Amino acid sequence: GAVVSQHPSWVICKSGTSVKIECRSLDFQATTMFWYRQFPKQSLMLMATSNEGSKATYEQGVEKDKFLINHASLTLSTLTVTSAHPEDSSFYICSASTTSGAPSEQFFGPGTRLTVL
Amino acid sequence: GQNIDQPTEMTATEGAIVQINCTYQTSGFNGLFWYQQHAGEAPTFLSYNVLDGLEEKGRFSSFLSRSKGYSYLLLKELQMKDSASYLCAVIGSWGKLQFGAGTQVVVTP
């Protein structure tokens, strides 16, 4: 159980275009989903936390107008990178947890590698 | 400020034991996770400690001392497939995970 999927697994796009990444919890309801970004040889950096039906909470330094997050249901969250630029090229990973505001295990998706040309 | 420190890289031979240390200073503490991450893949869960002491799970063990802000991950009987990055992560307020930079373990024949 506790499987999280991401789609697409990799994407290449031109500078200035927008890219949508989906994160789904396949066999459980995810009250909270997290979006991380990881640059090569660096650790995961939390970008934002989203709870179903409410606005995402962004970490300091993350532009909410550039990284749009929609947590429309208990099994789906999407991250849209708007007007992508080469510096946005990174490994984007989502995770999902079954509780909100309380410590619990996060289940990670397989990640999406974004390359912006 | 918040800080999670772990060594950048460790090398060990197959069959040996390696201990990866992690020290942390965070606002709020609700537990500490260790994850394994192979290059280009998502992290996979190894262990979770919330109380002081040692948790053993097969070849992997994890230790926590909350008073010292210290944890270690012990890998025994190393295998080539254990070559990966090992991430120490503290779960703080509101379920947020804060990750260390990761320790790259290289297992040599």
Side-chain angles (χ1 to χ4, degrees):
Chain A
V3 178
V4 176
S5 71
Q6 274 184 249
H7 178 80
S9 54
W10 59 270
V11 57
I12 302 173
C13 69
K14 292 183 179 178
S15 187
T17 60
S18 294
V19 174
K20 181 187 282 188
I21 303 169
E22 291 187 350
C23 176
R24 292 181 186 272
S25 56
L26 298 185
D27 50 4
F28 66 101
Q29 292 188 325
T31 312
T32 306
M33 285 186 169
F34 302 86
W35 286 96
Y36 296 86
R37 180 168 52 182
Q38 185 177 33
F39 292 106
K41 298 192 183 297
Q42 296 184 24
S43 193
L44 281 74
M45 296 298 294
L46 179 65
M47 298 175 68
T49 304
S50 74
N51 292 295
E52 183 264 340
S54 60
K55 288 184 180 179
T57 303
Y58 290 81
E59 295 300 301
Q60 195 172 8
V62 178
E63 300 173 56
K64 61 180 181 182
D65 294 330
K66 180 169 182 64
F67 299 99
L68 302 178
I69 292 172
N70 187 331
H71 194 159
S73 75
L74 284 172
T75 59
L76 173 64
S77 176
T78 60
L79 167 69
T80 302
V81 183
T82 61
S83 185
H85 290 286
E87 57 265 30
D88 298 324
S89 297
S90 187
F91 193 46
Y92 291 86
I93 305 175
C94 74
S95 72
S97 100
T98 56
T99 58
S100 176
S104 70
E105 184 178 353
Q106 292 183 24
F107 303 98
F108 286 86
T112 297
R113 184 159 302 283
L114 170 64
T115 302
V116 184
L117 302 177
Chain B
Q2 303 196 84
N3 216 23
I4 298 178
D5 290 316
Q6 50 183 129
T8 306
E9 185 172 313
M10 302 182 75
T11 301
T13 52
E14 212 172 355
I17 298 174
V18 69
Q19 177 175 314
I20 306 170
N21 296 323
C22 172
T23 58
Y24 63 89
Q25 289 179 306
T26 56
S27 58
F29 179 83
N30 288 301
L32 186 145
F33 289 88
W34 284 96
Y35 289 91
Q36 180 191 62
Q37 186 181 27
H38 285 99
E41 298 180 12
T44 54
F45 170 81
L46 291 178
S47 68
Y48 172 63
N49 295 68
V50 66
L51 299 176
D52 290 351
L54 187 68
E55 295 278 344
E56 296 185 84
K57 189 185 291 187
R59 293 188 300 113
F60 296 166
S61 303
S62 58
F63 171 83
L64 175 67
S65 168
R66 289 171 297 171
S67 61
K68 295 181 180 178
Y70 167 71
S71 172
Y72 69 71
L73 177 70
L74 196 68
L75 285 64
K76 304 176 203 172
E77 301 169 20
L78 277 175
Q79 302 175 8
M80 297 300 291
K81 67 178 182 179
D82 296 330
S83 292
S85 182
Y86 290 84
L87 308 175
C88 172
V90 172
I91 192 159
S93 307
W94 300 107
K96 290 184 182 181
L97 266 178
Q98 183 177 345
F99 283 85
T103 298
Q104 186 67 40
V105 171
V106 177
V107 181
T108 60

